[in-house]
Amino acid sequence: MRITRLEAIPYAIEYTHPLRFASGEVRTADHVLIRVHTDDGVVGEADAPPRPFTYGETQSSIIEVVTRIFAPQIVGTPVFERGKIHQVMNRTVHNQVAKGAVDIALWDAIGKGLGTSVHQLLGGYTDHLKVSHMLGFRPAQELLEEARRFGEEYGIKTFKLKVGRRPLALDIEACRVLREGLGDDVELYLDANRGWTANEAWDVVRATEGLGLTLLEEPCDAREAMSRRRLVEKSPIPVVGDESVPTAGDASRELLSGGCNAICIKTARSGFTEAQEILGLCTGLGVDVTMGNQIDTQVGSLATVAFGAAHEATSRRAGELSNFLDMADDLLAEPLEIVDGRIHVRSTPGVGAGIDDEKLARYRQD
Ligand code: MUC
Ligand code: MG
């Protein structure tokens, strides 16, 4: 199974409900479908969601780096020689989303070639992930209505609230309204996407004490090293690194320097291979992990489920898997379903993300 071609197809699908948060806003899923073609006719596929405001990658930069920089070095290599392919891609720094999608597409091709699901190949620990729903910036009462609706319709009992606004009272009030309205059985945690300073985050932690919040993600820029370390030391709840830790090296640096004490793993920017390296580091150190969402499509969310459900540590907490519900459509041929607050893995060979060719033809932009 030698690689014959790497394809990078830009496509765009609108969001019915844009997601707003401290570092940006997503109105359209302007993503790239990556395809790894092999001489056996097997095609591995993965979704690449660029997040320009976070990592600087765009639809165009992903296409460029995959087709003009990676492809000439990778074509001709057997798909099973992932080690060689990663050594080649790692010569280029950053471009994590492009690398992550190539990696997932390779795993998909390997699974299809072997007739085995990638979830089994990665570890096969359990058959589902619990779902956490992400609540973007909205007035507190609307957030409560949205959370109640997701609870009733999908059985979701875990919510991540996007925070990082000023004045801080806006977010403190939203936490209070959600806790009072949802009751104590619902898990609530926060993600500020670097919107505050570490000292502002500390003010929020103190003001929300007693509301039973479980995690505080990326409260400030991780490069504010001294005040961030002070926050991590004092905080009664784990401080999660997200955009500061796309690689195992970043995760090591942040954990060892006290910049965070929990890690958000996103397959969209780490692929399965680097995500396993990050996970090994975290389990070795006894550090909690969450399965995050890069505002993924159903294709991307299925990859997160395949990885998250494959390991014990990544399946303990609810994974962020429901952003696709706010999209007008998707490329996935057989839609994902959230039932009783869970998404199940697929046992079909590969990652399980069959693409609907008609939809791809409708939404592709090349
Ligand atoms: C998150 O956890 O930060 C927002 C930007 C991004 O890349 O992912 C989302 C969610
Ligand atoms: Mg985050």
Side-chain angles (χ1 to χ4, degrees):
M1 284 221 304
R2 282 183 192 276
I3 298 170
T4 53
R5 189 157 67 100
L6 290 188
E7 207 182 351
I9 306 169
Y11 71 92
I13 299 178
E14 295 301 307
Y15 269 78
T16 51
H17 299 89
L19 185 76
R20 290 179 53 228
F21 43 95
S23 56
E25 181 176 38
V26 174
R27 295 185 162 272
T28 309
D30 41 7
H31 296 189
V32 183
L33 181 71
I34 301 295
R35 282 183 161 156
V36 172
H37 295 264
T38 68
D39 55 6
D40 283 33
V42 170
V43 182
E45 293 170 315
D47 196 48
R51 293 290 159 252
F53 40 80
T54 308
Y55 308 107
E57 288 180 275
T58 63
Q59 214 178 27
S60 317
S61 81
I62 289 173
I63 294 168
E64 280 287 302
V65 78
V66 169
T67 59
R68 287 176 46 138
I69 300 179
F70 297 157
Q73 305 181 78
I74 288 174
V75 166
T77 312
V79 285
F80 293 103
E81 295 178 13
R82 283 184 302 114
K84 286 183 188 161
I85 295 169
H86 278 287
Q87 187 269 335
V88 161
M89 292 200 291
N90 286 340
R91 288 183 202 151
T92 305
V93 296
H94 306 307
N95 294 282
Q96 284 302 128
V97 177
K99 292 176 189 170
V102 171
D103 181 68
I104 292 173
L106 284 173
W107 277 95
D108 190 42
I110 289 169
K112 285 171 174 165
L114 296 174
T116 309
S117 78
V118 170
H119 163 258
Q120 290 283 302
L121 292 175
L122 288 170
Y125 176 71
T126 183
D127 66 354
H128 70 273
L129 276 193
K130 286 176 286 186
V131 176
S132 164
H133 179 64
M134 208 182 282
L135 298 163
F137 288 177
R138 289 170 80 172
Q141 206 54 41
E142 286 181 28
L143 290 170
L144 178 59
E145 281 158 26
E146 182 178 336
R148 281 194 173 131
R149 184 165 62 82
F150 275 78
E152 280 158 24
E153 274 184 45
Y154 302 105
I156 294 175
K157 293 198 176 84
T158 305
F159 296 92
K160 162 156 128 174
L161 177 65
K162 288 296 197 183
V163 292
R165 293 180 290 179
R166 295 185 177 111
L168 307 182
L170 280 173
D171 290 330
I172 295 166
E173 172 67 359
C175 293
R176 195 187 55 72
V177 168
L178 284 171
R179 175 56 76 212
E180 284 174 6
L182 298 174
D184 291 340
D185 291 343
V186 162
E187 179 177 354
L188 280 176
Y189 60 103
L190 309 183
D191 182 1
N193 285 107
R194 298 164 284 147
W196 294 322
T197 64
N199 290 337
E200 284 173 319
W202 176 236
D203 286 345
V204 174
V205 168
R206 278 188 307 174
T208 53
E209 239 176 351
L211 294 182
L213 304 175
T214 54
L215 302 166
L216 173 60
E217 185 171 311
E218 216 69 270
C220 60
D221 193 319
R223 289 171 301 185
E224 292 170 15
M226 193 172 153
S227 55
R228 170 105 166 204
R229 192 178 313 155
R230 186 163 152 265
L231 171 70
V232 173
E233 277 165 10
K234 291 200 304 183
S235 173
I237 54 175
V239 174
V240 185
D242 176 12
E243 49 266 48
S244 57
V245 294
T247 69
D250 296 317
S252 313
R253 184 199 60 233
E254 289 306 311
L255 289 169
L256 293 176
S257 67
C260 63
N261 48 11
I263 296 284
C264 170
I265 296 177
K266 286 181 176 162
T267 54
R269 61 159 185 235
S270 303
F272 294 151
T273 303
E274 184 125 37
Q276 270 191 329
E277 287 177 22
I278 297 171
L279 176 61
L281 183 73
C282 293
T283 49
L285 291 170
V287 163
D288 274 14
V289 295
T290 61
M291 287 309 302
N293 193 310
Q294 200 152 293
I295 321 178
D296 288 300
T297 60
Q298 295 186 35
V299 177
S301 302
L302 195 57
T304 303
V305 174
F307 183 90
H311 313 92
E312 195 264 339
T314 44
S315 57
R316 273 184 221 146
R317 291 180 179 275
E320 293 158 14
L321 299 166
S322 58
N323 289 78
F324 70 84
L325 292 169
D326 289 337
M327 286 177 65
D329 204 353
D330 208 281
L331 297 185
L332 196 68
E334 191 192 320
L336 274 191
E337 277 189 73
I338 304 176
V339 180
D340 289 336
R342 298 164 171 210
I343 297 183
H344 279 81
V345 297
R346 294 194 172 166
S347 51
T348 40
V351 179
I355 300 296
D356 183 322
D357 288 330
E358 256 178 43
K359 287 188 177 176
L360 181 59
R362 192 179 321 152
Y363 297 118
R364 66 188 294 163
Q365 297 182 303
D366 52 354

